[in-house]
Amino acid sequence: MCCLLHVQRYTHTVEHQVCREGRYNLDPNIKFFSLPPVHGALRKFVDHPADFCFKLPDCLTFEQGALVEPLSIAVHACRRAGVGPGKKVAILGAGPIGLMMLAAAKAFSASSVAITDIRPGNLPVAQTLGAKFALDQSKAVSTAENVEAIRAVFPEGPDIVIDCVGFSSTITTALQAVASGGTVVQVGLGEDTCCAPTMQTVFKEINFTGSWLYTNTFPLCISLLEEGKIQTEPLITHRLGFSEEEILKGFQIASTSATTGAIKVMFSW
């Protein structure tokens, strides 16, 4: 008997208190596919613990299953942010994770979502996924202009800003644009060390938190896909086979997304 499975990309131990509390994404001994020194899973067969394998419903395709993992990153961040009905959300960065964040925020019933990017190529996809505002920041020359663009659509500031980029400029934008008493969630890992006006968190009582990987998200993500609450088709821009030649071509396409327009590149056999 054959069934479609999706595997969570990492395993963990139970040696640390955070793991026993269910926050196993914070395990210092975590083993994550494609995170050195652990190899990736670009192969036909993977030996993986059964506890981290999830059966896909018959109505879902392999492509939808492949997007459970990046969707999990978005779902975890939305949970951390408190996204829900009535919330105004701004997302910085319209790359694959930013677009997934948009889809998740809509599925979590955010009242309105804005997404920004300095490369406008993905903004039409963002509109397809339900963005109320898709802000082209390609001509902005300062953080102040980025903040002004967000405040133009959310005059009092968004309740939640999710930074999917992770540079000093985007963190600064998030802290300055968010409403007083709002929440900023850091997801992007653009720089190891960033400089930002952290005193804003004091004067505006901002809840500033990070979001790392995901925990206990796969069942919900699979359910959202099964119920049709998350669109995946607009995110898949390229499809290739599983030969060595096509895999190399796919990585080249993905690594030059500024020119190829790649969002998600799919391999299949």
Side-chain angles (χ1 to χ4, degrees):
M1 181 177 180
C2 180
C3 62
L4 300 183
L5 295 176
H6 186 80
V7 298
Q8 182 172 286
R9 278 180 63 189
Y10 62 86
T11 61
H12 63 86
T13 66
V14 292
E15 298 174 3
H16 298 274
Q17 184 65 28
V18 288
C19 300
R20 293 192 291 273
E21 292 174 350
R23 302 181 69 183
Y24 52 83
N25 57 318
L26 304 180
D27 183 358
N29 298 320
I30 196 169
K31 294 181 179 179
F32 192 91
F33 283 134
S34 303
L35 187 66
V38 181
H39 291 295
L42 194 59
R43 62 192 78 174
K44 291 186 177 181
F45 300 99
V46 175
D47 184 3
H48 203 61
D51 287 345
F52 301 105
C53 297
F54 297 83
K55 186 180 184 300
L56 293 177
D58 293 338
C59 61
L60 295 186
T61 66
F62 278 121
E63 289 187 343
Q64 289 174 304
L67 293 175
V68 169
E69 198 272 343
L71 177 58
S72 285
I73 293 174
V75 163
H76 183 64
C78 285
R79 284 174 170 174
R80 299 275 292 159
V83 176
K87 296 294 185 180
K88 300 185 292 292
V89 180
I91 298 167
L92 308 185
I97 295 301
L99 292 171
M100 276 293 188
M101 204 70 65
L102 163 62
K106 294 295 293 182
F108 275 51
S109 300
S111 63
S112 55
V113 183
I115 190 166
T116 74
D117 207 301
I118 60 173
R119 295 194 314 208
N122 290 352
L123 295 180
V125 177
Q127 292 175 314
T128 299
L129 293 174
K132 186 173 184 179
F133 308 104
L135 307 178
D136 178 0
Q137 304 287 65
S138 59
K139 297 181 181 178
V141 296
S142 68
T143 299
E145 290 185 40
N146 294 331
V147 173
E148 183 180 353
I150 295 172
R151 285 292 181 125
V153 297
F154 296 134
E156 295 184 6
D159 304 300
I160 297 164
V161 180
I162 303 176
D163 180 9
C164 298
V165 184
F167 287 98
S168 297
S169 59
T170 55
I171 297 175
T172 298
T173 297
L175 293 173
Q176 293 182 343
V178 73
S180 294
T183 296
V184 172
V185 177
Q186 189 60 45
V187 177
L189 301 171
E191 294 177 312
D192 289 336
T193 302
C194 295
C195 180
T198 54
M199 285 300 113
Q200 292 284 324
T201 64
V202 178
F203 303 138
K204 294 169 67 175
E205 289 196 353
I206 297 168
N207 301 305
F208 186 25
T209 187
S211 182
W212 175 239
L213 302 178
Y214 42 82
T215 178
N216 303 308
T217 53
F218 274 42
L220 175 57
C221 291
I222 291 171
S223 178
L224 290 173
L225 291 169
E226 184 179 18
E227 294 171 10
K229 294 182 178 180
I230 300 284
Q231 298 182 61
T232 58
E233 185 65 25
L235 297 168
I236 303 169
T237 55
H238 296 78
R239 293 175 171 86
L240 295 99
F242 211 65
S243 68
E244 181 178 352
E245 179 182 357
E246 288 185 284
I247 288 172
L248 292 174
K249 179 181 178 182
F251 275 97
Q252 179 64 23
I253 290 170
S255 64
T256 55
S257 59
T259 55
T260 63
I263 299 176
K264 297 299 292 183
V265 178
M266 286 287 176
F267 299 107
S268 62
W269 64 85

